[in-house]
Coordinates of all heavy atoms in Angstrom, one line a residue:
I1 N 0.8 -1.2 -0.1 CA 0.0 0.0 0.0 C 0.9 1.2 -0.1 O 0.5 2.3 -0.6 CB -0.9 0.0 1.1 CG1 -2.0 1.1 1.1 CG2 -0.3 0.1 2.5 CD1 -2.8 1.2 -0.2
L2 N 2.0 1.3 0.8 CA 2.8 2.4 0.7 C 3.5 2.8 -0.6 O 3.4 4.0 -1.0 CB 3.9 2.2 1.9 CG 3.4 2.2 3.3 CD1 4.5 1.8 4.2 CD2 2.9 3.5 3.6
T3 N 4.0 1.8 -1.3 CA 4.5 2.1 -2.6 C 3.5 2.4 -3.6 O 3.8 3.2 -4.4 CB 5.3 0.9 -3.0 OG1 4.6 -0.3 -3.1 CG2 6.5 0.7 -2.1
R4 N 2.3 1.8 -3.4 CA 1.2 2.1 -4.4 C 0.9 3.6 -4.3 O 0.4 4.2 -5.2 CB 0.0 1.2 -4.0 CG -1.1 1.4 -5.1 CD -2.2 0.4 -4.7 NE -1.8 -1.0 -5.1 CZ -2.3 -1.6 -6.1 NH1 -3.3 -0.9 -6.9 NH2 -2.0 -2.8 -6.4
L5 N 1.0 4.2 -3.1 CA 0.6 5.6 -3.0 C 1.7 6.5 -2.9 O 1.6 7.7 -2.5 CB -0.2 5.7 -1.5 CG -1.5 4.9 -1.6 CD1 -2.3 5.1 -0.2 CD2 -2.5 5.6 -2.6
G6 N 2.9 6.0 -3.4 CA 4.0 7.0 -3.7 C 5.0 7.2 -2.6 O 6.1 8.0 -2.7
F7 N 5.0 6.3 -1.5 CA 6.0 6.3 -0.5 C 7.1 5.5 -0.9 O 6.9 4.6 -1.7 CB 5.5 5.9 0.9 CG 4.4 6.8 1.4 CD1 3.0 6.6 1.2 CD2 4.7 7.8 2.3 CE1 2.0 7.3 1.7 CE2 3.6 8.5 2.9 CZ 2.3 8.4 2.5
R8 N 8.3 5.7 -0.4 CA 9.4 5.0 -0.6 C 10.0 4.2 0.6 O 10.3 5.0 1.5 CB 10.5 5.9 -1.3 CG 11.8 5.1 -1.7 CD 12.7 6.0 -2.5 NE 13.0 7.2 -1.9 CZ 14.1 7.4 -1.0 NH1 14.8 6.3 -0.7 NH2 14.3 8.6 -0.4
I9 N 10.1 3.0 0.6 CA 10.6 2.3 1.8 C 12.2 2.3 1.8 O 12.7 2.0 0.8 CB 10.2 0.7 1.7 CG1 8.7 0.6 1.5 CG2 10.7 0.0 2.9 CD1 7.9 1.1 2.7
T10 N 12.7 2.8 2.8 CA 14.2 2.9 2.9 C 14.9 1.8 3.7 O 16.1 1.5 3.6 CB 14.6 4.3 3.4 OG1 14.0 4.4 4.6 CG2 14.1 5.4 2.5
D11 N 14.2 1.3 4.6 CA 14.7 0.1 5.5 C 13.6 -0.6 6.2 O 12.6 -0.1 6.5 CB 15.7 0.7 6.5 CG 16.5 -0.2 7.1 OD1 16.8 -1.3 6.6 OD2 16.8 -0.1 8.3
V12 N 13.9 -1.9 6.4 CA 12.9 -2.8 7.1 C 13.8 -3.6 8.0 O 14.8 -4.3 7.6 CB 12.1 -3.7 6.2 CG1 11.2 -4.6 7.1 CG2 11.3 -2.8 5.1
V13 N 13.5 -3.6 9.4 CA 14.2 -4.4 10.3 C 13.0 -5.2 11.0 O 12.0 -4.7 11.7 CB 14.9 -3.6 11.4 CG1 15.6 -4.5 12.4 CG2 15.9 -2.8 10.6
S14 N 13.1 -6.6 11.1 CA 12.2 -7.5 11.8 C 12.9 -8.4 12.7 O 14.0 -9.0 12.5 CB 11.5 -8.3 10.7 OG 10.8 -7.5 9.7
A15 N 12.4 -8.7 13.8 CA 12.9 -9.4 15.0 C 11.9 -9.8 15.9 O 11.0 -8.9 16.4 CB 14.0 -8.6 15.7
F16 N 11.7 -11.2 16.1 CA 10.8 -11.7 17.1 C 9.3 -11.2 16.9 O 8.5 -10.8 17.8 CB 11.2 -11.3 18.5 CG 12.5 -11.6 18.8 CD1 13.6 -10.8 18.9 CD2 12.9 -13.1 19.0 CE1 14.9 -11.1 19.2 CE2 14.3 -13.5 19.3 CZ 15.2 -12.5 19.4
G17 N 8.8 -11.1 15.5 CA 7.5 -10.7 15.3 C 7.3 -9.2 15.2 O 6.1 -8.8 15.0
Q18 N 8.3 -8.4 15.5 CA 8.1 -6.9 15.5 C 8.8 -6.4 14.2 O 9.8 -7.0 13.9 CB 8.8 -6.3 16.9 CG 8.5 -7.0 18.1 CD 7.1 -7.0 18.5 OE1 6.4 -6.0 18.4 NE2 6.5 -8.1 19.0
H19 N 8.2 -5.4 13.7 CA 8.7 -4.9 12.4 C 8.9 -3.3 12.5 O 8.0 -2.7 12.9 CB 7.8 -5.3 11.3 CG 7.4 -6.8 11.2 ND1 8.3 -7.7 10.8 CD2 6.3 -7.4 11.6 CE1 7.8 -8.8 10.9 NE2 6.4 -8.7 11.4
E20 N 9.9 -2.9 12.1 CA 10.2 -1.5 12.0 C 10.5 -1.1 10.4 O 11.4 -1.7 9.9 CB 11.5 -1.1 12.8 CG 11.3 -1.2 14.4 CD 10.6 0.0 15.0 OE1 10.6 1.0 14.3 OE2 10.1 -0.1 16.0
I21 N 9.7 -0.2 10.0 CA 9.8 0.2 8.6 C 10.1 1.6 8.5 O 9.4 2.4 9.1 CB 8.5 -0.2 7.8 CG1 8.1 -1.6 7.9 CG2 8.6 0.3 6.3 CD1 6.7 -2.0 7.4
S22 N 11.2 2.0 7.8 CA 11.6 3.4 7.6 C 11.1 3.7 6.3 O 11.3 2.9 5.3 CB 13.1 3.5 7.8 OG 13.5 3.3 9.0
L23 N 10.5 5.0 6.2 CA 10.0 5.3 4.7 C 10.1 6.8 4.6 O 10.1 7.5 5.5 CB 8.6 4.9 4.6 CG 7.5 5.5 5.5 CD1 6.2 5.9 4.8 CD2 7.2 4.5 6.8
C24 N 10.2 7.1 3.3 CA 10.2 8.4 2.9 C 8.7 9.0 2.7 O 8.1 8.4 2.0 CB 11.0 8.7 1.6 SG 11.0 10.4 1.0
G25 N 8.4 9.9 3.6 CA 7.0 10.5 3.5 C 6.8 11.5 2.5 O 5.9 12.4 2.7
C26 N 7.6 11.5 1.4 CA 7.5 12.7 0.4 C 6.1 13.0 -0.1 O 5.8 14.2 -0.4 CB 8.4 12.3 -0.7 SG 10.1 12.2 -0.3
P27 N 5.1 12.0 -0.2 CA 3.8 12.5 -0.8 C 3.2 13.4 0.3 O 2.3 14.1 -0.2 CB 3.0 11.2 -0.9 CG 4.2 10.1 -1.1 CD 5.3 10.5 -0.3
L28 N 3.6 13.3 1.6 CA 3.0 14.2 2.6 C 4.1 15.1 3.2 O 3.9 15.7 4.3 CB 2.5 13.3 3.7 CG 1.5 12.3 3.5 CD1 1.1 11.4 4.6 CD2 0.2 12.9 2.9
E29 N 5.2 15.5 2.4 CA 6.2 16.2 2.9 C 5.8 17.5 3.4 O 6.1 18.0 4.6 CB 7.3 16.4 1.9 CG 8.5 17.1 2.3 CD 9.6 17.2 1.2 OE1 9.4 16.8 0.1 OE2 10.6 17.8 1.6
K30 N 5.0 18.3 2.8 CA 4.5 19.6 3.1 C 3.6 19.6 4.4 O 3.8 20.2 5.4 CB 3.9 20.4 2.1 CG 3.7 21.8 2.4 CD 3.2 22.7 1.1 CE 3.1 24.2 1.5 NZ 4.4 24.7 1.8
I31 N 2.8 18.5 4.4 CA 1.9 18.4 5.5 C 2.8 18.0 6.8 O 2.5 18.5 7.9 CB 0.8 17.3 5.3 CG1 -0.2 17.8 4.2 CG2 0.1 16.8 6.6 CD1 -1.2 16.8 3.8
E32 N 3.7 17.1 6.5 CA 4.4 16.6 7.7 C 5.3 17.8 8.2 O 5.6 17.8 9.4 CB 5.5 15.4 7.2 CG 6.3 14.8 8.2 CD 7.1 13.8 7.7 OE1 7.0 13.4 6.5 OE2 8.1 13.4 8.6
H33 N 5.7 18.7 7.4 CA 6.6 19.8 8.0 C 5.8 20.7 8.7 O 6.2 21.2 9.9 CB 7.2 20.5 6.9 CG 8.0 21.7 7.2 ND1 9.2 21.6 7.8 CD2 7.8 23.0 7.1 CE1 9.8 22.8 8.1 NE2 8.9 23.7 7.7

């Protein structure tokens, strides 16, 4: 869903069923700021 809506995944770390996903929020960059 994230890539379909224009986000870019930069990193994924998974361990013991927990997941950390780093992404570029560029589609929402102005809102995020």
Side-chain angles (χ1 to χ4, degrees):
I1 188 59
L2 289 169
T3 54
R4 182 177 288 252
L5 293 177
F7 296 88
R8 181 170 55 87
I9 307 298
T10 58
D11 190 31
V12 177
V13 177
S14 298
F16 305 107
Q18 315 297 318
H19 308 284
E20 292 277 339
I21 302 173
S22 298
L23 63 142
C24 175
C26 294
L28 303 175
E29 182 175 2
K30 191 170 182 64
I31 292 178
E32 186 180 348
H33 180 70

